[in-house]
Amino acid sequence: RCLSDWSSDVCSSDLVTDQKFGSFELYLEFLLAKGSNSGVFLHGLYEIQVFDSFGYDGPLTVGDCGGIYEQVEGGGGSPPSRNAARAPGEWQSLRIWFQGPQFDAAGKMMARPKVMRAMLNEVQVQGEFTLPGPTLSHMNLAPAAKNPIMLQGDHGPVAYRNIYVKEMD
């Protein structure tokens, strides 16, 4: 089932905005089943991990909830600074401030995109992080000044609600 202003024509289990965004603040709430894995793809290219990390007390990785996932070329990414995940079956919140890439008049990228900050359940888990390139499992899109947002839905049950996007510029 699709949400208002979202379509699922890219992949039967992913939700993709019809609208394209540049720089924005995104807020959403999600609920995961035990062991589920999802992601929020900024510009359809850069994944913030949504994962059942509840109760994990080992070293955090890019695959944990709130992590910026690994790059296509391998490695990279940014683990969350702390584990703020709630138990499976509880609603959680994610707020992301994203700065889109900047291009000159000829279309050359002059500034890489950045996650300016990310908060999981009102706890800051990411500070300013420049994205060197797309993360794994991204949409088949070229970097652009504006691109859609994708919510991944093919790695176990996940629900999203109360999704807000506020454009910034």
Side-chain angles (χ1 to χ4, degrees):
R1 190 172 85 147
C2 295
L3 304 172
S4 174
D5 297 329
W6 296 69
S7 68
S8 61
D9 59 351
V10 173
C11 179
S12 63
S13 60
D14 297 335
L15 297 175
V16 180
T17 60
D18 290 329
Q19 184 174 346
K20 294 180 179 180
F21 302 92
S23 297
F24 56 84
E25 176 186 345
L26 171 67
Y27 174 85
L28 57 80
E29 295 171 354
F30 64 92
L31 181 135
L32 293 167
K34 185 168 179 59
S36 281
N37 174 354
S38 183
V40 175
F41 283 78
L42 313 170
H43 274 211
L45 298 170
Y46 316 104
E47 182 180 7
I48 303 289
Q49 187 73 6
V50 173
F51 182 75
D52 172 20
S53 296
F54 178 71
Y56 180 69
D57 62 359
L60 297 173
T61 71
V62 298
D64 283 302
C65 200
I68 298 171
Y69 207 58
E70 67 184 275
Q71 309 302 298
V72 170
E73 293 81 26
S78 174
S81 59
R82 56 195 279 202
N83 188 349
R86 293 184 181 153
E90 290 185 33
W91 283 101
Q92 304 188 59
S93 66
L94 183 61
R95 185 179 308 266
I96 304 163
W97 289 264
F98 175 74
Q99 179 181 305
Q102 306 298 309
F103 295 86
D104 66 15
K108 180 180 177 191
M109 188 181 295
M110 302 303 293
R112 303 262 354 134
K114 294 180 185 178
V115 171
M116 302 305 295
R117 183 172 63 177
M119 296 183 73
L120 175 62
N121 300 319
E122 304 303 319
V123 175
Q124 185 168 330
V125 294
Q126 293 289 338
E128 188 170 318
F129 183 81
T130 300
L131 296 155
T135 57
L136 292 174
S137 302
H138 63 85
M139 293 177 67
N140 187 18
L141 298 171
K146 292 188 174 194
N147 264 329
I149 299 168
M150 180 181 83
L151 303 179
Q152 185 182 53
D154 62 351
H155 293 81
V158 59
Y160 289 97
R161 70 177 187 188
N162 296 328
I163 302 167
Y164 304 96
V165 181
K166 178 181 175 186
E167 293 188 87
M168 302 182 312
D169 282 327

